[in-house]
Amino acid sequence: VTSQNVVVDATNVVRKNLLGPDEQNVEAASGGVLQGNAAESETTIDNTTLAVIGDADVTVTGDASGVGVLRINSFDDIEGYDDVRLDTGGLIVGSGATSTIVAHTHDHSVIEDGATLTTVGDLDVQTRTRAILNVAPTVHTYGLASAAVMDSEARVITDSQVLVGEGVHITAAAA
């Protein structure tokens, strides 16, 4: 492959059900003499994003100004909001709410065995993960004796790797 520019972009975009300002993923309410209630929302996201150049000869010649782009990029863009609301009342009340979002990302930019890459500019090989996770459990209890428990977790576990195989030849002639 010979070109002015070569860009290999692999992108995963995840959006959890994005809610309006007065909306919840889980909403529960109850009342009575003796109350024991729970509300739970649990989300697991698992992404694998691969940007790969195989066993190939790739030459970037650049444009008239001599600048060329050779980029291999894997990108995960995750955004999730979780809102759990529990409202209970009674003489004796015990309530709990749980809100969890866990994202596992595997971002790999790969140059496979035997590839030959030549560019007049820089070689840019990268992996990126952007994540905005927000969990918000809320419990409202009322009564003579009330107890509430809330648990929340927002976590991203990422495995980002740039992998260069055996017998790969790279020439980047940027000044």
Side-chain angles (χ1 to χ4, degrees):
V1 174
T2 300
S3 178
Q4 288 182 345
N5 300 293
V6 173
V7 176
V8 178
D9 276 330
T11 302
N12 259 328
V13 177
V14 174
R15 294 291 185 265
K16 191 174 185 297
N17 51 330
L18 302 179
L19 303 171
D22 293 324
E23 296 178 310
Q24 290 76 37
N25 296 91
V26 176
E27 183 174 19
S30 67
V33 176
L34 297 173
Q35 287 293 308
N37 299 307
E40 180 177 3
S41 175
E42 183 176 314
T43 302
T44 302
I45 299 165
D46 195 354
N47 280 351
T48 298
T49 308
L50 303 173
V52 179
I53 290 185
D55 178 8
D57 291 331
V58 177
T59 302
V60 174
T61 59
D63 55 21
S65 67
V67 178
V69 174
L70 177 49
R71 181 175 62 232
I72 306 165
N73 174 50
S74 64
F75 178 55
D76 261 318
D77 180 357
I78 300 166
E79 188 163 334
Y81 307 107
D82 199 56
D83 193 352
V84 175
R85 182 167 48 188
L86 179 58
D87 189 2
T88 58
L91 186 62
I92 300 174
V93 177
S95 299
T98 302
S99 177
T100 303
I101 303 174
V102 177
H104 301 268
T105 66
H106 312 277
D107 307 313
H108 297 171
S109 290
V110 181
I111 303 169
E112 291 186 338
D113 295 347
T116 300
L117 308 179
T118 305
T119 178
V120 297
D122 292 327
L123 172 62
D124 183 6
V125 184
Q126 57 183 292
T127 66
R128 298 177 299 137
T129 300
R130 171 195 174 270
I132 298 174
L133 304 173
N134 183 16
V135 293
T138 304
V139 176
H140 175 236
T141 61
Y142 49 94
L144 181 62
S146 298
V149 176
M150 290 181 289
D151 187 24
S152 63
E153 177 182 22
R155 182 170 36 139
V156 177
I157 302 163
T158 187
D159 169 28
S160 297
Q161 298 184 41
V162 171
L163 303 171
V164 178
E166 294 183 19
V168 172
H169 299 281
I170 298 172
T171 303

